[in-house]
Amino acid sequence: MEKRQAEWIWYNGDYEIRQLNACLTSRYEREVFVPPFWHIDDFCKNVKFVKTFRLKKKERIRVLANGKFNIIVDRTDAPLNSYVRNYKGYLDLEEGEYKLTVSVYNETEIPALFVDGETVRSGPDFLVTSNDFRYVPAGCDGLTDPNCPPGKFRFSYQEVDFDVLFRNDKELFLDCKKEMMGLICLENCAGSGPVDIWYGESREEALDKENCELTDRLILPQKSRPDVSKAFRYVLLRAENADLSAVEILREFHPQARSSRFSCSDPRLEKIYSIALDTLALNTREFFLDGIKRDRWLWAGDAYQAFLMNYYSFFDLKTARRTMIALAGKPPVLHFMNQIMEYSFYWIIGLYDYYMYTGDLFFLRRMLPTAKRIIEFSHTRKTADGLLEGKEGDWVFVDWANLDNRGEVSAENIIYLKALDTVAKLCGLLGEDASAYAQEYEEMRRKVFDVFWDESRGVFYYSRVNGKLNRDVKRHPHIFALYFGLLDEAKKQAVIRNVLMNDKVEKIVTPFMRFFELSALCLAGETDPVYREVLSYWGGMLDEGATSFWELYDKDCTGVEKYAMYDRKYGKSLCHAWGASPLYLIGRYLVGLRPTQPGYRTYELRPCLTRLAEYSVTLPLNEGDVCLTYEQGRFTVFAEKTDGVLRLDPALYDTEAADADEDGDRIFRIKAGQTRVVRAGIKQEGNPQ
Amino acid sequence: MEKRQAEWIWYNGDYEIRQLNACLTSRYEREVFVPPFWHIDDFCKNVKFVKTFRLKKKERIRVLANGKFNIIVDRTDAPLNSYVRNYKGYLDLEEGEYKLTVSVYNETEIPALFVDGETVRSGPDFLVTSNDFRYVPAGCDGLTDPNCPPGKFRFSYQEVDFDVLFRNDKELFLDCKKEMMGLICLENCAGSGPVDIWYGESREEALDKENCELTDRLILPQKSRPDVSKAFRYVLLRAENADLSAVEILREFHPQARSSRFSCSDPRLEKIYSIALDTLALNTREFFLDGIKRDRWLWAGDAYQAFLMNYYSFFDLKTARRTMIALAGKPPVLHFMNQIMEYSFYWIIGLYDYYMYTGDLFFLRRMLPTAKRIIEFSHTRKTADGLLEGKEGDWVFVDWANLDNRGEVSAENIIYLKALDTVAKLCGLLGEDASAYAQEYEEMRRKVFDVFWDESRGVFYYSRVNGKLNRDVKRHPHIFALYFGLLDEAKKQAVIRNVLMNDKVEKIVTPFMRFFELSALCLAGETDPVYREVLSYWGGMLDEGATSFWELYDKDCTGVEKYAMYDRKYGKSLCHAWGASPLYLIGRYLVGLRPTQPGYRTYELRPCLTRLAEYSVTLPLNEGDVCLTYEQGRFTVFAEKTDGVLRLDPALYDTEAADADEDGDRIFRIKAGQTRVVRAGIKQEGNPQ
């Protein structure tokens, strides 16, 4: 067995927290610096690494540290506890059993250690303490180059081919042809003095010097590129005393090793899928960001959706874990994540998804204490009646919509129920006592229905403020109750009929809430309206010339007003992670892929794309991909390393003979490494128009 | 009334924590960096300052920040919540009521704010939050220069006049004539290449290149002075390619505005007092350190004694508060201060002293939550029987002596009792509920006597390990019980007779424990043995040529061995704060000064220096000094701003007629600003030999 490479290690979680702080402090509104308005945790400057090992023969071990450090290396049978003196960069040790202790201190970057020998190599089997007398497994992120200790996140860069839209003696206007995150580089530009830069996600924005969201000022020759990359498609530059014709633009990105693929007989859907992939890729950097222009921050609710999209596109687990760890931060809990109450709950709920897609119990064990702390903290938000209500400093967000979120909000309490249920499940998986969570879940669930559900009307009311019911009927609580599986069959039908399919109930306008709404509809079997909605809503953005999907889209809003939000002319983000949800909707519900055992040990495909004559999709599993092709009335399925099943709804497909499950679906077993072809003609009548 | 100056403000406590981290990471053993082996807290990088104010007329307000920042200034009647754009360094505001919000982010130094206008000036009336939605009064330390934001602590420097003891073509050996903290400066030395430096508190140490504790290597011309100052009296320098004759030495120190003075007819005692002042002054830097050579760290137990010495010498409250705040750190409590259990208790106990000497309830209110958290944390160290016992990661220190501190240690529990009693008192002072602490105190006090006190022998046993009593009789528990006033008269006499005055009980050898022992004797009225001990123990160090007092002194240990400790040839610190206790013993017990109302609103002098024919002492009160002179059988007392009393024991002094108090002492009232002369002849018989 090949020994794994040595890698840089650090105090568990500190790399992620350090990157988070860099990320959260990269936000500018023109020249104004905008730091986060919540508490940020920090890395430990003073840590100690410990490793016990046995050498069967003499070994030279290289020990590098990022920071000021000292080394104690003791034979375990004769500890001297004295520092290595006149250290030359390595230790020559004879055969025997040793305990290596390295204390590292660093004020500006995370203290880190790199140990490399024939048999002793730094990795997660080293222990580390912040000197609080608790040892935890060291953190790592795959940084194996001894010359590159952890510091700034390492992005990739690529020169961009742009069009010059106009040029005069002072100004230059460029189009990079699609949305991107990048750096303007003037190293090769002759001249001196200030160069002003106005960025735009739209042409209008870049040309509106007074109102565009992002600007920069470089000073030639000493400052020839910005400190922080920016999001843009268009760039306007102006210099009084410089020749800008040698400007270069570098795209800054985080490359992905894997990616889903989708092609089909409808070029519009194919394009939607491809733009959704671009949108998520642009927002997948050191973390899953909300949007690259603004806020370029990590928000737990946005990340929850990005995780799900990611399982159906890049399956980038390192970025997912980095995001979850950074959001977890350090104890104590001072406020909800991003100060938004339900964002902490989404974070918890996402842990179980992570488990289903990866089977990684080691990571769950690490995250569970944070989940429990959030529940404990939430208890400080309970009213006398036991329901949650926002207190000072809490933001009960739910959605960008016309919502009054004072008091006990039904949607909020429903999301909390799912979080409670998740913690109970995680405790069960990890052999910890789940009973307190299970009991609280039962009690709160009863209370939520008692207080908010009107059986006669078959709806949830929106909230209760100081004991007084707010009888507004909004889509939100219904979407969450359906999506999180809290409704019995009768209530489910009532909710679909009375609210989700009822045009009189105010429409959802954000892709964020649309993610939940369309997912809930799919779970209720209503996939065809979802298919149509993907084409019209996301297709609508394509018609507006989008090269990435937006924070919010309203087809009735046209002209330059469509870029406005938050009372700012170009406040709207035109590349927002939550805009990429077709990746999830198509992969999870329309192609119908899901893990049927934790860690994708087995999978299921239950396609319902009956409006497409042909399509071919490659989606990531935990190990390898699965490819599904439909053409000429036949499915072809192949996954190299994982067994699975193709389930076909006989209402949709005319199939060859097969076993049926309890729902009547036809089951076709697919062996790992073997291609299976299944005949399945589309029944037009099974596909409601 | 003059408006106070604007000063730099920050998140409360962060300046002290930042200085603490700098202090704790300045320790080297030769070339080896030695960071603290406990958890260090850190400053908040992202903070927000808020101030509401009313302008009666137009005002220009200068706003400076140390870090990246943004400003929101809103009229309170019309808040817009938008950032100040194109900020030029000041705000011009019309008459009206405003809310000023400044967010500041800084990664390397504490984020800080400086606001200066005609009426609006930054100070502790500004509020600050670490964005956890809790606002606290801003911290400050009197930094009023807008051009010098908080950063490294600002020491003073002074060129030192040294003797050259020998010189050859490569080496130079210098004697600075007394112990100091300083920097070797080679800026004016011609030549290049490495210069090696060996430091010594003793001549022997500096000449012992292999074993001296402190070394440096400078490289000319680029590195001509060390990064970190060092403690030394002697310095050996060696250069292959440089002329060292232009070497300069800078003393680094923290100047004191006030100082006690003591002169008397015994030059040996006068010298002891003066060396004690030097010793404390050298250890009074950004904090009260333990020793300047090693560890140059802040230890709560050492600091507890330094506080008391300081009240009788420099009355430097800023350093005292800085020390207390830094030790308090940030929640949660992860371990005891410096990981030593009783050090946290000393910290609590010192709060009440601070109150008696200063009357500063504002500061107490700020510290009380930490005191409560320590008590709460201590509860995790209780055995089934309710006594404290060290757990893994705890260091039960008590003293450098032959002590077995496993299990329930009587001395440890006695110190905890005093801490509990102190928290109860502080709660009472601050109007908080003290009952839980008072009740725990009563229960534990009963338990301590039940378990450890042997009424028949009239002694405390040392400890109980796994239910088995360790019947060793050591001085330590007895000293603490006496010093903290836990004994009734009968037990007090038993303890003095059976232990303190019993030469068969192992002697105390550290000045640290001697501080408590001699104080306890004084409190029990045994001042004369203390007077003699001061002369013999501290006088003994003078005889060894000390220019500052040591970490430990044993008159039977001579030659170079007297410098050894911790298995290191020069491991002993020769300038240790706890060596300066004559300042306290003389001021508090032999001159007999103490506050009789909180904040030194009134004072008492009860001198008993009957072996001195003449002496004159000036000691600090909270406001101004008090001067006491004894000569020709008469006391002369003067304090400019504070009323007090001179109390004379008729067993010691033959006085003019006066009121007597309940103990029979003669009482002479001293009015502020008026000199009073009191005739008092020494009764030789009242002075036990």
Side-chain angles (χ1 to χ4, degrees):
Chain A
M1 197 184 91
E2 207 189 344
K3 179 91 178 141
R4 62 156 178 68
Q5 274 186 282
E7 58 179 316
W8 285 100
I9 57 174
W10 45 76
Y11 189 78
N12 216 336
D14 275 4
Y15 178 73
E16 292 79 1
I17 284 175
R18 180 254 180 268
Q19 301 305 342
L20 178 63
N21 289 359
C23 162
L24 293 176
T25 54
S26 295
R27 176 176 175 178
Y28 286 81
E29 287 179 26
R30 300 176 65 93
E31 87 288 359
V32 177
F33 169 67
V34 182
F37 32 88
W38 53 79
H39 183 85
I40 58 173
D41 295 313
D42 211 344
F43 64 84
C44 295
K45 293 176 175 170
N46 186 39
V47 306
K48 194 189 287 168
F49 300 91
V50 173
K51 174 69 183 170
T52 304
F53 54 87
R54 176 182 292 282
L55 299 182
K56 287 182 189 153
K57 54 187 174 74
K58 190 172 161 163
E59 182 165 326
R60 172 166 290 190
I61 299 171
R62 185 176 175 196
V63 179
L64 287 175
N66 194 29
K68 299 202 279 186
F69 68 107
N70 68 49
I71 303 175
I72 294 175
V73 59
D74 268 329
R75 289 190 75 111
T76 50
D77 54 355
L80 294 169
N81 205 32
S82 59
Y83 302 114
V84 172
R85 297 278 177 184
N86 303 309
Y87 176 67
K88 299 291 180 241
Y90 52 83
L91 304 168
D92 281 324
L93 300 179
E94 300 298 319
E95 176 190 342
E97 191 176 283
Y98 291 90
K99 181 178 177 186
L100 173 70
T101 305
V102 187
S103 291
V104 189
Y105 179 81
N106 194 327
E107 281 188 0
T108 50
E109 290 294 349
I110 56 169
L113 180 69
F114 190 93
V115 176
D116 198 10
E118 181 61 27
T119 68
V120 183
R121 293 177 181 175
S122 47
D125 54 324
F126 278 51
L127 295 176
V128 62
T129 178
S130 70
N131 289 296
D132 61 353
F133 308 102
R134 290 163 194 83
Y135 285 85
V136 294
C140 50
D141 199 59
L143 306 182
T144 55
D145 182 349
N147 301 314
C148 291
K152 283 188 179 177
F153 192 79
R154 280 178 216 118
F155 291 105
S156 297
Y157 294 89
Q158 195 176 43
E159 206 178 324
V160 169
D161 172 36
F162 53 80
D163 291 341
V164 175
L165 298 189
F166 72 74
R167 176 198 311 259
N168 59 36
D169 61 335
K170 293 190 175 148
E171 295 190 347
L172 182 63
F173 188 50
L174 310 175
D175 175 8
C176 298
K177 295 182 272 188
K178 56 182 187 174
E179 175 89 17
M180 55 175 275
M181 191 77 137
L183 287 168
I184 308 297
C185 306
L186 304 182
E187 282 81 359
N188 299 325
C189 294
S192 67
V195 179
D196 286 302
I197 307 175
W198 298 268
Y199 300 95
E201 290 189 306
S202 62
R203 169 194 282 263
E204 292 87 334
E205 183 181 9
L207 289 172
D208 190 342
K209 291 179 183 168
E210 296 307 310
N211 295 294
C212 68
E213 289 278 314
L214 299 179
T215 60
D216 263 317
R217 167 167 273 209
L218 302 178
I219 309 283
L220 290 182
Q222 61 269 35
K223 185 167 182 63
S224 58
R225 61 171 78 182
D227 297 327
V228 174
S229 61
K230 301 286 184 309
F232 57 91
R233 171 175 168 181
Y234 299 91
V235 197
L236 176 63
L237 298 103
R238 180 185 178 90
E240 297 296 324
N241 295 305
D243 174 5
L244 297 171
S245 55
V247 59
E248 287 177 321
I249 301 182
L250 289 182
R251 190 166 75 90
E252 182 184 86
F253 64 105
H254 180 48
Q256 289 297 338
R258 305 177 71 182
S259 176
S260 60
R261 290 189 295 280
F262 180 78
S263 58
C264 70
S265 45
D266 179 350
R268 188 171 173 88
L269 187 62
E270 214 174 86
K271 178 89 178 180
I272 287 170
Y273 195 89
S274 136
I275 297 285
L277 267 181
D278 287 349
T279 303
L280 185 62
L282 284 164
N283 283 289
T284 304
R285 292 168 56 86
E286 64 276 59
F287 306 110
F288 291 113
L289 304 188
D290 64 330
I292 59 174
K293 176 169 81 174
R294 195 229 79 239
D295 312 327
R296 65 187 299 172
W297 278 353
L298 179 41
W299 295 88
D302 305 52
Y304 166 79
Q305 296 191 350
F307 295 147
L308 293 171
M309 298 172 200
N310 175 55
Y311 298 130
Y312 289 90
S313 52
F314 308 120
F315 213 81
D316 174 356
L317 300 184
K318 279 177 68 176
T319 301
R321 281 192 297 264
R322 225 182 276 125
T323 300
M324 286 186 261
I325 293 168
L327 285 167
K330 298 196 170 183
V333 176
L334 296 172
H335 51 65
F336 292 107
M337 287 177 188
N338 316 108
Q339 93 178 85
I340 301 180
M341 188 186 272
E342 75 269 19
Y343 273 30
S344 287
F345 307 154
Y346 287 131
W347 181 88
I348 292 175
I349 297 165
L351 292 178
Y352 193 80
D353 297 326
Y354 177 81
Y355 171 65
M356 284 306 292
Y357 288 95
T358 68
D360 180 357
L361 281 172
F362 177 82
F363 184 74
L364 283 196
R365 192 174 298 286
R366 192 172 150 193
M367 294 293 108
L368 182 59
T370 303
K372 289 180 171 181
R373 275 193 289 271
I374 291 166
I375 297 296
E376 196 185 332
F377 181 75
S378 302
H379 293 166
T380 65
R381 267 52 181 175
K382 285 206 174 177
T383 59
D385 204 24
L387 289 170
L388 294 183
E389 164 175 289
K391 294 249 163 75
E392 199 185 333
D394 299 338
W395 179 5
V396 174
F397 167 64
V398 185
D399 188 18
W400 289 126
N402 171 32
L403 302 172
D404 174 357
N405 287 325
R406 290 173 302 163
E408 300 154 320
V409 173
S410 55
E412 195 75 16
N413 280 277
I414 287 168
I415 304 170
Y416 179 67
L417 277 179
K418 182 67 180 179
L420 264 181
D421 183 45
T422 304
V423 176
K425 272 191 198 141
L426 297 180
C427 286
L429 284 171
L430 295 167
E432 300 198 16
D433 181 13
S435 57
Y437 304 101
Q439 188 186 336
E440 188 187 346
Y441 174 78
E442 289 307 328
E443 285 166 11
M444 286 227 21
R445 183 191 166 107
R446 208 160 33 239
K447 192 144 300 183
V448 163
F449 281 93
D450 282 355
V451 172
F452 300 112
W453 177 255
D454 183 326
E455 184 64 30
S456 63
R457 293 184 55 192
V459 296
F460 286 104
Y461 293 130
Y462 193 73
S463 64
R464 189 173 66 171
V465 186
N466 297 322
K468 193 166 174 301
L469 213 56
N470 165 2
R471 292 173 186 268
D472 283 355
V473 175
K474 302 276 187 180
R475 287 178 185 260
H476 302 82
H478 303 88
I479 289 171
F480 288 115
L482 204 57
Y483 176 69
F484 290 135
L486 295 178
L487 303 179
D488 60 26
E489 196 53 36
K491 288 196 178 65
K492 194 189 282 186
Q493 294 310 325
V495 156
I496 291 172
R497 189 178 57 245
N498 299 330
V499 183
L500 271 71
M501 296 301 206
N502 180 351
D503 285 348
K504 286 184 193 143
V505 181
E506 200 178 329
K507 280 208 158 26
I508 298 296
V509 294
T510 59
F512 176 67
M513 193 49 57
R514 192 139 293 203
F515 176 100
F516 295 114
E517 183 183 39
L518 299 181
S519 293
L521 284 172
C522 286
L523 287 168
E526 301 286 348
T527 51
D528 199 61
V530 172
Y531 179 84
R532 283 178 283 136
E533 186 64 16
V534 167
L535 285 170
S536 76
Y537 184 88
W538 280 270
M541 287 189 258
L542 290 191
D543 296 340
E544 294 287 352
T547 63
S548 56
F549 289 128
W550 303 358
E551 182 175 17
L552 190 145
Y553 169 63
D554 179 350
K555 69 174 173 16
D556 300 327
C557 183
T558 54
V560 75
E561 283 88 64
K562 66 178 173 273
Y563 302 129
M565 204 167 162
Y566 309 104
D567 288 326
R568 303 208 302 267
K569 212 168 161 188
Y570 306 97
K572 186 180 290 169
S573 157
L574 300 193
C575 178
H576 224 66
W578 73 31
S581 54
L583 298 178
Y584 182 64
L585 297 172
I586 292 172
R588 169 67 186 88
Y589 301 113
L590 303 183
V591 173
L593 174 66
R594 69 181 181 99
T596 41
Q597 287 186 74
Y600 254 139
R601 268 185 293 128
T602 55
Y603 66 87
E604 170 189 291
L605 284 159
R606 192 172 183 276
C608 57
L609 278 166
T610 49
R611 288 176 176 269
L612 290 175
E614 291 186 357
Y615 56 96
S616 180
V617 58
T618 301
L619 290 168
L621 302 176
N622 195 22
E623 302 215 32
D625 296 332
V626 62
C627 305
L628 174 85
T629 301
Y630 186 74
E631 55 184 353
Q632 299 179 328
R634 300 191 312 181
F635 283 105
T636 307
V637 189
F638 176 80
E640 194 179 339
K641 297 181 177 169
T642 312
D643 290 343
V645 296
L646 176 69
R647 274 180 65 196
L648 296 177
D649 178 353
L652 301 180
Y653 296 100
D654 234 347
T655 71
E656 52 198 89
D659 293 343
D661 68 3
E662 64 273 21
D663 301 325
D665 281 347
R666 301 293 181 263
I667 305 296
F668 304 91
R669 279 166 235 291
I670 324 286
K671 280 245 164 268
Q674 296 179 13
T675 301
R676 180 154 186 190
V677 179
V678 173
R679 265 185 294 108
I682 297 171
K683 290 185 179 171
Q684 286 302 324
E685 67 273 28
N687 183 8
Q689 298 294 316
Chain B
M1 198 183 93
E2 207 188 345
K3 180 93 179 139
R4 60 158 178 66
Q5 276 186 280
E7 57 180 317
W8 284 99
I9 57 173
W10 45 75
Y11 188 77
N12 215 337
D14 275 4
Y15 178 73
E16 292 79 2
I17 285 176
R18 181 253 179 268
Q19 301 305 342
L20 178 64
N21 290 358
C23 163
L24 293 176
T25 54
S26 296
R27 176 176 175 176
Y28 285 82
E29 288 180 24
R30 300 177 64 92
E31 87 287 359
V32 177
F33 169 67
V34 182
F37 33 88
W38 53 80
H39 183 86
I40 58 172
D41 295 312
D42 212 342
F43 64 83
C44 295
K45 294 175 175 171
N46 187 38
V47 306
K48 194 190 286 169
F49 300 91
V50 173
K51 175 69 183 169
T52 305
F53 54 87
R54 175 181 293 282
L55 299 182
K56 287 183 188 152
K57 56 189 174 77
K58 190 174 163 164
E59 182 165 325
R60 171 167 290 191
I61 299 172
R62 185 177 173 197
V63 179
L64 287 175
N66 193 29
K68 300 202 278 186
F69 68 106
N70 68 49
I71 303 174
I72 295 175
V73 58
D74 268 328
R75 290 191 74 113
T76 51
D77 55 354
L80 294 169
N81 205 34
S82 59
Y83 303 114
V84 172
R85 298 279 176 181
N86 304 308
Y87 176 66
K88 298 290 180 242
Y90 53 83
L91 304 167
D92 282 323
L93 301 179
E94 300 298 319
E95 176 190 345
E97 191 175 282
Y98 291 90
K99 180 176 177 188
L100 173 70
T101 305
V102 187
S103 291
V104 188
Y105 179 81
N106 193 328
E107 280 188 0
T108 51
E109 292 292 349
I110 56 169
L113 181 68
F114 190 92
V115 177
D116 199 10
E118 181 62 28
T119 67
V120 183
R121 294 177 180 176
S122 46
D125 54 324
F126 277 52
L127 294 176
V128 62
T129 179
S130 68
N131 288 297
D132 61 354
F133 308 102
R134 291 161 193 83
Y135 285 85
V136 295
C140 51
D141 198 60
L143 306 182
T144 54
D145 182 349
N147 300 314
C148 292
K152 283 188 178 177
F153 193 78
R154 280 177 217 119
F155 291 106
S156 297
Y157 295 89
Q158 195 175 45
E159 208 179 323
V160 169
D161 172 35
F162 53 80
D163 290 341
V164 176
L165 297 189
F166 72 73
R167 176 198 311 257
N168 59 35
D169 62 334
K170 292 189 176 150
E171 294 191 345
L172 182 63
F173 188 49
L174 310 175
D175 175 7
C176 298
K177 295 182 274 189
K178 56 182 189 174
E179 174 89 17
M180 54 176 274
M181 191 77 137
L183 286 168
I184 308 296
C185 305
L186 304 181
E187 281 80 0
N188 299 325
C189 293
S192 67
V195 180
D196 285 303
I197 306 175
W198 298 268
Y199 300 94
E201 290 189 306
S202 62
R203 170 194 282 263
E204 293 88 333
E205 184 181 8
L207 289 172
D208 190 342
K209 290 179 183 168
E210 297 306 309
N211 295 293
C212 69
E213 289 279 313
L214 299 180
T215 60
D216 263 319
R217 167 166 273 210
L218 302 178
I219 309 283
L220 289 181
Q222 61 269 36
K223 185 167 180 61
S224 58
R225 62 171 76 183
D227 296 327
V228 175
S229 61
K230 300 288 184 308
F232 57 89
R233 173 176 166 179
Y234 299 91
V235 197
L236 177 63
L237 297 104
R238 179 184 178 90
E240 297 295 323
N241 296 305
D243 174 6
L244 297 172
S245 56
V247 59
E248 287 178 320
I249 301 183
L250 289 182
R251 189 166 76 90
E252 181 184 88
F253 65 105
H254 180 50
Q256 289 296 340
R258 305 178 70 180
S259 178
S260 61
R261 288 188 297 280
F262 180 77
S263 58
C264 70
S265 45
D266 179 349
R268 189 171 172 86
L269 187 63
E270 214 174 85
K271 178 89 177 178
I272 288 170
Y273 195 89
S274 134
I275 298 286
L277 267 181
D278 286 350
T279 304
L280 185 62
L282 283 165
N283 283 289
T284 304
R285 292 168 56 85
E286 64 275 60
F287 306 110
F288 291 113
L289 303 189
D290 64 331
I292 59 174
K293 176 169 81 174
R294 195 228 82 237
D295 311 328
R296 67 187 298 173
W297 277 354
L298 179 41
W299 294 87
D302 305 52
Y304 166 78
Q305 296 190 350
F307 294 147
L308 291 171
M309 299 172 200
N310 174 56
Y311 297 131
Y312 289 90
S313 52
F314 308 120
F315 213 82
D316 175 355
L317 300 184
K318 277 177 73 174
T319 302
R321 281 192 297 264
R322 226 182 274 125
T323 300
M324 287 186 261
I325 293 167
L327 285 166
K330 297 196 171 182
V333 176
L334 295 172
H335 51 66
F336 291 109
M337 287 176 188
N338 315 109
Q339 93 178 86
I340 302 181
M341 189 186 271
E342 75 270 19
Y343 273 29
S344 287
F345 307 155
Y346 287 130
W347 180 89
I348 291 175
I349 296 165
L351 292 178
Y352 193 79
D353 297 327
Y354 176 81
Y355 170 65
M356 283 306 291
Y357 289 95
T358 68
D360 180 358
L361 281 173
F362 177 81
F363 184 73
L364 284 196
R365 192 174 298 284
R366 192 172 149 191
M367 294 293 107
L368 183 58
T370 304
K372 290 180 171 181
R373 275 193 289 268
I374 291 166
I375 298 296
E376 195 185 333
F377 182 74
S378 302
H379 292 167
T380 65
R381 266 55 180 173
K382 286 207 173 176
T383 59
D385 204 23
L387 289 170
L388 294 184
E389 167 176 287
K391 293 249 163 77
E392 201 186 328
D394 298 339
W395 179 5
V396 175
F397 166 64
V398 184
D399 189 17
W400 289 126
N402 172 31
L403 302 173
D404 175 357
N405 287 325
R406 291 173 303 165
E408 300 154 322
V409 173
S410 55
E412 195 75 17
N413 280 276
I414 287 168
I415 304 170
Y416 180 67
L417 277 178
K418 182 68 182 179
L420 264 181
D421 183 44
T422 305
V423 177
K425 272 192 197 139
L426 297 181
C427 286
L429 283 173
L430 295 168
E432 301 198 15
D433 181 14
S435 57
Y437 304 102
Q439 187 186 336
E440 188 187 347
Y441 174 79
E442 289 307 328
E443 285 165 11
M444 284 220 33
R445 183 190 166 109
R446 208 161 33 239
K447 192 144 301 184
V448 163
F449 280 93
D450 282 355
V451 171
F452 299 113
W453 178 253
D454 184 326
E455 183 65 29
S456 63
R457 293 183 57 190
V459 297
F460 285 105
Y461 293 129
Y462 194 73
S463 63
R464 189 172 67 170
V465 185
N466 296 322
K468 193 167 173 300
L469 213 55
N470 166 2
R471 290 173 189 268
D472 283 354
V473 175
K474 302 275 187 182
R475 288 180 185 259
H476 302 82
H478 304 88
I479 289 171
F480 287 115
L482 205 56
Y483 176 70
F484 290 136
L486 295 178
L487 303 178
D488 59 27
E489 195 53 35
K491 290 196 179 64
K492 194 189 282 186
Q493 293 310 324
V495 157
I496 291 172
R497 189 176 57 243
N498 299 330
V499 185
L500 271 72
M501 295 302 205
N502 180 351
D503 285 348
K504 288 184 192 141
V505 181
E506 199 178 331
K507 282 210 156 22
I508 297 296
V509 295
T510 58
F512 176 66
M513 192 49 56
R514 191 137 296 200
F515 176 100
F516 294 116
E517 184 183 39
L518 300 182
S519 293
L521 283 172
C522 288
L523 287 168
E526 301 286 347
T527 51
D528 199 61
V530 172
Y531 179 84
R532 284 179 283 136
E533 187 64 17
V534 167
L535 285 169
S536 76
Y537 184 87
W538 280 270
M541 286 189 258
L542 289 190
D543 298 341
E544 295 285 353
T547 62
S548 55
F549 290 128
W550 303 357
E551 182 175 17
L552 190 147
Y553 170 64
D554 178 351
K555 70 175 171 15
D556 300 327
C557 183
T558 54
V560 74
E561 285 87 65
K562 65 176 174 272
Y563 302 129
M565 205 167 163
Y566 308 104
D567 288 328
R568 301 208 304 266
K569 214 169 158 187
Y570 305 98
K572 187 178 290 168
S573 157
L574 300 192
C575 178
H576 224 66
W578 70 33
S581 54
L583 298 177
Y584 182 64
L585 296 172
I586 292 172
R588 169 68 186 86
Y589 301 113
L590 303 183
V591 172
L593 174 66
R594 69 182 180 98
T596 41
Q597 285 186 76
Y600 254 138
R601 268 186 293 127
T602 55
Y603 66 88
E604 169 189 290
L605 284 160
R606 192 172 181 276
C608 57
L609 278 166
T610 49
R611 287 175 177 269
L612 290 176
E614 291 186 357
Y615 56 94
S616 180
V617 57
T618 301
L619 291 167
L621 302 176
N622 195 21
E623 301 216 34
D625 296 332
V626 60
C627 306
L628 173 85
T629 301
Y630 185 74
E631 55 184 352
Q632 301 177 325
R634 299 191 312 182
F635 284 105
T636 308
V637 189
F638 176 81
E640 193 179 340
K641 297 183 178 168
T642 313
D643 290 343
V645 297
L646 176 68
R647 275 180 64 195
L648 296 176
D649 178 352
L652 300 181
Y653 296 100
D654 236 348
T655 69
E656 55 197 87
D659 294 342
D661 68 4
E662 65 273 22
D663 300 325
D665 282 347
R666 301 291 181 264
I667 306 295
F668 303 90
R669 278 165 234 293
I670 324 286
K671 279 249 165 265
Q674 295 179 14
T675 301
R676 180 154 186 190
V677 179
V678 173
R679 266 184 293 107
I682 296 171
K683 290 184 178 171
Q684 285 302 324
E685 67 272 30
N687 184 7
Q689 298 293 319

